[in-house]
Amino acid sequence: GGTAAAVGLPRYAFAQAAYKAEYKMSTVVPPAFAWGKGGEIFGNLVRERTGGRINIKQYPGSSLVQGQQDREFAAMRQGIIDVLCGAPINWSGTVRELGVFTLPFILPDHKSWDAATTSPAVMDEYFELVRKAGAEPLAVGETGYRQISNSKRPIKAPDDLKGIKVRVVGSPMYGEIMTGMGGNPTFMSWADAQPALASGAVDAQENPLEVFLAAKIHTLGQKFVTKWNYSNDILLFAIAQPVWQQWTAADQKIVREAAQDAAKQQVALVRKLFAEDVERVRALGVEVHIPSAAEQQAWQIATRRIYARWKVGTHAGLVSKIEQVAEKARGKG
Ligand code: X2X
C-alpha cells in the first residue's frame, strides 16, 4: 500500500520528510577558540539561510565521542556525527591520507599554505579522497601553525628537546616527528592534555598560539615557546554522505556556501590572531623564541626521513602536487 502510493512522488518529497530535527556537529574546542568559532558561524549561517529547516547543533569538547577526538571520523561513518568541522590530524588512525597538509614543514608559510589549499589540482583530488572516505567536503578553514611550548627550557635546537615529554595528538606521524626533533612523545586527547600539563605528567605540548592563549596554557606551567611553524592543518567542513544525500540540491547549495563563508571568516580570525600572538604570549611572561633561518633548517633536517616516510604513508602523488604548488608560491617571493 504505502510503497505503491509513494511511487511517482518526486525525490525531494522523501528527502524533505527525512530531514532530522538536529544535525550533530563535533568540534574539539568551543567557540572561544577560532576553530570552534568557525563551527558556530557555519551552524548559524545554515540555520538562518534555511529558515531553520537545517539545524546544525555544535558539540564542542568532542563530546559526541567522549572527548576522544581521534574517533571523530569513525563516529561520522557510524552515524553518531553528522557534521565535521575538524582537523584531519585527529583522524589519522582512520583516514591517514587526509593528513597530507601536515607533513613537517611542507607548507612553512601562509603564502605556500594558501597556494596549496586553493589549488584546484590539489583540492579536487583531496576532496575526492574525502568523498571516498564517506563525507561530502564543503570548505577548508585553518587550524593554525602549531608551536611547541614547555616547562623546562628554551627550545632552540633538537638537543634541547632531549628528555622532554611532549604531549601530541593521536597521530603516529606527530609522534615520529617529535622523536625526530629529539623529544619523548606521548599521545593524548585535548581533554587529557590539560590536566597532564598541570600535574607535570608531561613537560610540553604543541598547538597554535591562539589555542595556547584561549586555553591559558601559560597557567599550566608552560614558560617557553618556540615559534617554529612546523605544521598547520586545515579545518575541514564536511557532511556525512548519508545526511548529505537526504538534502535537496537547493539545500546542499545553501549549506556549501555557508561553509565557504564560515571558512573565510574563520581563516581571517586565525590570521588576525597569528599576527598578534607573539606579543600577547610574551605579555604573559612566557619566553618566545623565534628560530633563525639556520635553526629552522636544523629542525627540517631532523624531520627529513619522517617526511619521506609519511609522504608515502599518506598519499605520495598528492604530496608531490602540494610540493610543486608550494615551490611555485615560494618562487613568486
Ligand atoms: O588537541 C589538540 O591539540 C588540538 C585542539 O589542536 C587538536 O584537536 C588537534
Side-chain angles (χ1 to χ4, degrees):
T3 315
V7 171
L9 274 177
R11 200 178 110 74
Y12 64 79
F14 298 104
Q16 282 291 5
Y19 278 32
K20 296 196 219 176
E22 174 187 307
Y23 293 96
K24 296 182 188 332
M25 171 169 62
S26 181
T27 59
V28 178
V29 288
F33 299 63
W35 163 346
K37 191 76 189 170
E40 183 184 70
I41 294 168
F42 176 44
N44 287 342
L45 288 177
V46 169
R47 204 170 300 109
E48 278 164 34
R49 295 177 185 178
T50 62
R53 269 177 296 119
I54 297 179
N55 172 34
I56 294 177
K57 180 157 186 233
Q58 183 170 11
Y59 289 82
S62 315
S63 62
L64 295 168
V65 284
Q66 292 75 46
Q68 293 172 272
Q69 66 220 50
D70 58 338
R71 290 191 42 227
E72 276 182 335
F73 205 92
M76 184 276 301
R77 283 174 169 170
Q78 291 163 358
I80 296 162
I81 289 170
D82 302 307
V83 178
L84 293 168
C85 175
I89 48 170
N90 283 324
W91 315 325
S92 55
T94 318
V95 277
R96 285 182 164 209
E97 66 278 14
L98 301 189
V100 288
F101 297 110
T102 53
L103 264 58
F105 303 105
I106 187 169
L107 300 167
D109 50 38
H110 278 127
K111 192 176 283 178
S112 57
W113 195 93
D114 283 340
T117 57
T118 58
S119 153
V122 170
M123 293 316 291
D124 287 354
E125 187 166 355
Y126 189 82
F127 275 14
E128 208 40 49
L129 293 176
V130 176
R131 266 182 213 112
K132 279 201 192 110
E136 179 60 26
L138 304 178
V140 297
E142 175 182 349
T143 55
Y145 279 103
R146 304 182 73 86
Q147 323 295 4
I148 191 157
S149 75
N150 87 102
S151 58
K152 301 281 187 206
R153 53 181 171 264
I155 305 293
K156 301 185 177 176
D159 263 1
D160 297 328
L161 263 166
K162 289 260 152 65
I164 289 191
K165 229 190 201 181
V166 190
R167 174 269 170 174
V168 291
V169 298
S171 151
M173 183 183 75
Y174 274 22
E176 289 182 26
I177 293 171
M178 219 40 78
T179 305
M181 302 283 215
N184 179 9
T186 173
F187 301 100
M188 226 174 261
S189 71
W190 173 240
D192 291 342
Q194 294 165 87
L197 289 165
S199 72
V202 298
D203 309 308
Q205 64 89 43
E206 48 75 61
N207 248 303
L209 292 184
E210 183 262 313
V211 170
F212 184 97
L213 286 160
K216 300 186 167 50
I217 301 284
H218 69 289
T219 65
L220 308 178
Q222 299 291 287
K223 299 192 190 88
F224 306 97
V225 164
T226 299
K227 192 168 182 175
W228 59 11
N229 295 339
Y230 85 114
S231 191
N232 181 357
D233 206 359
I234 61 166
L235 179 63
L236 181 66
F237 293 77
I239 309 288
Q241 278 296 347
V243 170
W244 180 250
Q245 278 152 24
Q246 285 175 349
W247 292 341
T248 64
D251 280 341
Q252 288 178 345
K253 183 165 181 284
I254 292 172
V255 173
R256 189 182 298 282
E257 285 171 3
Q260 288 165 346
D261 292 346
K264 232 175 249 154
Q265 291 184 46
Q266 190 273 338
V267 170
L269 181 57
V270 163
R271 298 284 166 96
K272 180 186 167 284
L273 295 165
F274 182 81
E276 62 194 34
D277 62 13
V278 170
E279 200 181 329
R280 286 179 57 202
V281 171
R282 279 181 177 154
L284 298 170
V286 174
E287 193 178 315
V288 180
H289 177 65
I290 313 280
S292 67
E295 286 171 347
Q296 203 66 15
Q297 208 186 357
W299 295 119
Q300 256 174 67
I301 290 167
T303 53
R304 203 168 269 165
R305 272 182 40 237
I306 294 136
Y307 182 106
R309 191 172 32 251
W310 283 92
K311 177 173 179 177
V312 175
T314 50
H315 192 297
L318 186 48
V319 171
S320 292
K321 276 190 192 172
I322 294 171
E323 287 167 350
Q324 282 164 25
V325 171
E327 187 61 36
K328 228 167 133 194
R330 269 197 295 274
K332 279 190 196 131

